[in-house]
């Protein structure tokens, strides 16, 4: 029974998400020390309520949490056959797959987040849409964008779970139009930047240059692409995906569906868990979905082993 590690992106962050980590744990301490050395500040300054209003702190906290969570689970005897990271989670996935080092990821994510925050300090954001497929939404976007500031399709998380980005006023207007059309649910997300659309193409260029100056390695674990939904097996392909993702829609549904079709029946979401676990549970009802939790780490490992043994027998 194959296993996929899932790494969450923005909107999954929680105040105190790093503060509960056991800093003396051998799977935790090196990463905290490395992060604090590179950033020049304590991680306790990153995950407070106030700090998480910053895109920079959110993305760094998610990177650190995702990598440490996966390292501790791997140390418990769990193995991963695939890795998939949603948006910023892709950098954690790239570390665990062996393509980039943790220190490289910290520098890349710090650059990425700072440029995003500087480019769009206010007035922009993203909205989640539930109940419309991509094919049903696109005609509404085409009509809307002829009268308003452009709104872009940014995430395809499930067949009927999409995310759009753009100016907040235009997003609000689109939501009103979709509500009249009978959409099930809409929500403006707690995100201040219109991610995964052409508005951020300049940031992709900067990341491409920065990645090009780094020594990368071939992945040890197949890596699910954000931009194509396919599995990537070379450092060059993953590097291109990491840089392009910020200005391209996240093809999460295609990526996880491919992983499922290739035999993954256990999906383990790294901390802070919740968002991706719900999507996987709804999309793949026959799969086993496990959410990582600091208080239940040993139970997670035991549960994974039970699933494996049951499949063998």
């Amino acid at each position: 029974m194959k296993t996929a590690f899932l790494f969450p992106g923005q909107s999954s962050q929680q105040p105190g998400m790093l503060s509960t980590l056991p800093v003396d744990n051998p799977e935790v301490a090196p990463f905290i020390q490395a992060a604090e050395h590179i950033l020049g500040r304590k991680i306790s300054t990153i995950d407070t309520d106030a700090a998480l209003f910053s895109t920079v702190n959110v993305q760094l906290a998610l990177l650190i949490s995702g990598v440490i969570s996966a390292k501790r689970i791997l140390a418990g005897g769990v193995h991963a056959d695939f890795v998939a990271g949603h948006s910023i989670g892709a950098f954690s996935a790239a570390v665990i797959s062996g393509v980039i080092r943790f220190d490289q990821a910290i520098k890349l994510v710090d650059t990425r987040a700072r440029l995003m925050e500087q480019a769009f300090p206010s007035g922009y954001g993203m909205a989640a849409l539930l109940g419309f497929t991509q094919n049903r939404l696109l005609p509404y976007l085409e009509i809307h964008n002829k009268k308003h500031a452009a709104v872009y399709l940014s995430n395809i998380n499930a067949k009927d779970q999409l995310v759009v980005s753009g100016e907040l006023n235009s997003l609000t207007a689109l939501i009103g139009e979709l509500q009249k059309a009978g959409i099930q649910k809409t929500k403006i997300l707690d995100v201040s930047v219109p991610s995964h659309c052409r508005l951020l193409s300049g940031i992709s260029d900067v990341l491409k240059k920065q990645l090009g100056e780094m020594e990368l390695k071939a992945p040890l674990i197949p890596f699910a692409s954000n931009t194509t939904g396919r599995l990537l097996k070379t450092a060059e392909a993953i590097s291109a995906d990491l840089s392009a993702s910020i200005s391209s829609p996240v093809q999460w549904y295609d990526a996880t569906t491919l992983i499922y079709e290739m035999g993954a029946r256990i999906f383990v979401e790294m901390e802070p868990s919740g968002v991706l676990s719900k999507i996987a549970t709804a999309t793949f009802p026959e799969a086993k979905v496990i959410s990582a939790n600091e208080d239940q780490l040993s139970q997670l490992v035991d549960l994974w082993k039970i699933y494996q043994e049951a499949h063998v027998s």
Side-chain angles (χ1 to χ4, degrees):
M1 185 180 291
K2 293 183 179 180
T3 301
F5 278 14
L6 308 181
F7 296 83
Q10 280 187 255
S11 294
S12 298
Q13 65 270 15
Q14 301 168 7
M17 57 190 283
L18 302 178
S19 302
T20 58
L21 293 172
V23 294
D24 57 345
N25 185 293
E27 301 298 332
V28 175
F31 296 102
I32 292 179
Q33 293 167 4
E36 291 182 341
H37 175 72
I38 294 167
L39 298 173
R41 54 191 171 122
K42 295 290 186 181
I43 62 166
S44 58
T45 66
I46 294 175
D47 68 344
T48 65
D49 282 286
L52 290 178
F53 278 102
S54 163
T55 296
V56 176
N57 289 332
V58 169
Q59 294 193 23
L60 288 170
L62 288 169
L63 169 68
I64 295 166
S65 178
V67 169
I68 290 176
S69 181
K71 287 290 186 179
R72 295 178 72 195
I73 292 170
L74 289 167
V78 177
H79 73 258
D81 299 284
F82 310 99
V83 293
H86 192 287
S87 186
I88 191 63
F91 289 84
S92 300
V95 172
I96 298 304
S97 73
V99 177
I100 57 176
R101 301 189 311 269
F102 181 68
D103 63 304
Q104 293 173 320
I106 289 285
K107 294 172 184 177
L108 287 164
V109 169
D110 191 51
T111 297
R112 180 185 191 267
R114 289 185 186 282
L115 290 175
M116 290 169 67
E117 201 164 70
Q118 292 166 9
F120 297 94
S122 64
Y124 286 80
M126 306 179 77
L129 311 176
L130 181 62
F132 265 37
T133 63
Q134 180 178 350
N135 287 340
R136 188 176 179 192
L137 174 66
L138 290 178
Y140 285 94
L141 277 182
E142 183 177 356
I143 294 170
H144 174 86
N145 289 348
K146 290 178 180 178
K147 300 181 290 183
H148 303 274
V151 170
Y152 303 91
L153 178 61
S154 296
N155 296 356
I156 302 95
N157 293 331
K159 277 186 177 181
D160 63 348
Q161 185 175 332
L162 312 172
V163 177
V164 291
S165 61
E167 289 187 8
L168 288 174
N169 289 337
S170 191
L171 286 173
T172 301
L174 176 65
I175 284 173
E177 295 160 9
L178 296 178
Q179 287 172 339
K180 291 178 182 178
I183 195 167
Q184 184 178 340
K185 185 177 180 180
T186 62
K187 180 183 179 181
I188 298 292
L189 298 176
D190 186 20
V191 176
S192 59
V193 177
S195 301
H196 306 295
C197 71
R198 67 184 68 174
L199 294 175
L200 277 71
S201 58
I203 298 175
S204 283
D205 294 338
V206 173
L207 290 175
K208 181 178 180 179
K209 182 175 184 298
Q210 190 172 352
L211 279 157
E213 296 169 349
M214 293 180 172
E215 181 181 357
L216 309 182
K217 295 183 178 180
L220 302 174
I221 306 170
F223 174 102
S225 166
N226 268 224
T227 60
T228 67
R230 314 312 294 171
L231 287 179
L232 305 180
K233 299 181 181 180
T234 68
E236 293 76 16
I238 294 171
S239 174
D241 194 67
L242 290 173
S243 62
S245 173
I246 189 60
S247 57
S248 305
V250 175
Q251 305 290 341
W252 188 251
Y253 175 71
D254 284 351
T256 52
T257 298
L258 176 62
I259 289 171
Y260 182 85
E261 290 173 349
M262 295 191 70
R265 291 298 182 270
I266 302 177
F267 291 85
V268 184
E269 183 183 8
M270 303 303 117
E271 294 189 77
S273 297
V275 174
L276 300 183
S277 294
K278 291 178 181 177
I279 295 173
T281 298
T283 306
F284 312 112
E286 296 182 359
K288 307 294 184 182
V289 180
I290 308 173
S291 297
N293 184 291
E294 174 62 34
D295 297 330
Q296 300 176 336
L297 188 62
S298 61
Q299 291 94 320
L300 183 156
V301 173
D302 290 341
L303 186 59
W304 180 84
K305 291 178 179 177
I306 290 170
Y307 288 155
Q308 289 291 335
E309 291 169 2
H311 179 70
V312 171
S313 60

